Amino acid sequence: MTRHFAPRPGPCLIDSHCHLDAPEFTGWRDQLVEAAQDSGVGQLILPAIHSDSFADSLAMRERYGCWLAFGLHPIYLSRHLDEHLHTLEQHLQQHAPVAVGEIGLDFYVPGLDAARQETLLVEQLKLARKYDLPVLLHVRRAQDRILKYLRQIPVRGGIAHAFNGSRQQADAFIKLGFKLGFGGAMTYSGSRRIRELAATLPLSALVLETDAPDIRPEWAQQQPNTPANLNQFAIVMAELRKMDLNELRHALWCNTYQAIGLDAPA
């Protein structure tokens, strides 16, 4: 019998960014969800990445009870048409997502039209503001540019996914009401800046994520990342911060609810 994610009576781990609909999980998604739940993951956020994935995301919510976000991801720029913004708005109106996302800018992948990315980001920020939704941000080599647009088009915060900027940039996102997502990259001893940020940023600004099946952890580099890894990510963060694991889990649980504007269960 398929298990549904559902509110728990107490704090649990929440994967704040998981592509549960990814083709890498075809054929073993039920087992993946069960393993995540058995490891202590009580909920996850599935961000859609292009209009063709919206229906699959809705099917994942129907089957597993996960939280959804809808967005047009910058890496899939060639798939996005102007009319897809209208499709996105329809889904925001009709399907009660927790956020707009995954949206943002990617100035790392070659060949992506920067101006077109920025146009789509601006229009999606306007939709997030119109419907009073937080945003899930893809930010790769574009921190300052995204901060510029967030100041021009204020939204109700959200999460800067897979954060890898500077401390100054981190503080700027936090000042604008954003949480910062940490996951697999934090598990590598060579990721010194990311590990330093995970250790020293205000606890109230942090959330955990997997970005499954991507950003594989140090101990599983040859296989897809899965939400069951989230518990070990929490252990790594607790060690970096030199704090009690249960205290950290409670804080991260509260932070994730705050990031998407929901009240945590009493």
Side-chain angles (χ1 to χ4, degrees), residues 76-94:
Y76 298 90
L77 199 62
S78 64
R79 302 183 67 159
H80 305 325
L81 305 176
D82 287 346
E83 55 260 37
H84 293 164
L85 287 166
H86 177 64
T87 304
L88 171 60
E89 181 165 16
Q90 288 180 314
H91 279 71
L92 300 181
Q93 291 172 328
Q94 298 171 12

Side-chain angles (χ1 to χ4, degrees), residues 41-78:
V41 177
Q43 186 53 274
L44 60 82
I45 303 175
L46 193 172
I49 53 177
H50 51 71
S51 63
D52 291 340
S53 72
F54 292 177
D56 287 340
S57 299
L58 288 166
M60 295 298 105
R61 182 169 69 180
E62 177 68 22
R63 186 167 183 83
Y64 302 112
C66 52
W67 291 335
L68 293 189
F70 297 109
L72 305 177
H73 192 300
I75 285 182
Y76 298 90
L77 199 62
S78 64

Side-chain angles (χ1 to χ4, degrees), residues 7 13 68 121-122 151 165 169 207 209-210 229 236 247 257:
L13 293 170
L68 293 189
L121 173 62
V122 165
R151 294 184 182 107
Q169 290 165 335
V207 296
E209 61 173 59
T210 61
N229 285 322
V236 170
E247 180 183 349
Y257 271 93

Side-chain angles (χ1 to χ4, degrees), residues 163-182:
F163 187 79
N164 64 354
S166 68
R167 177 59 188 255
Q168 182 180 18
Q169 290 165 335
D171 289 340
F173 277 104
I174 294 167
K175 187 176 180 180
L176 291 171
F178 281 80
K179 310 295 185 186
L180 308 178
F182 289 85

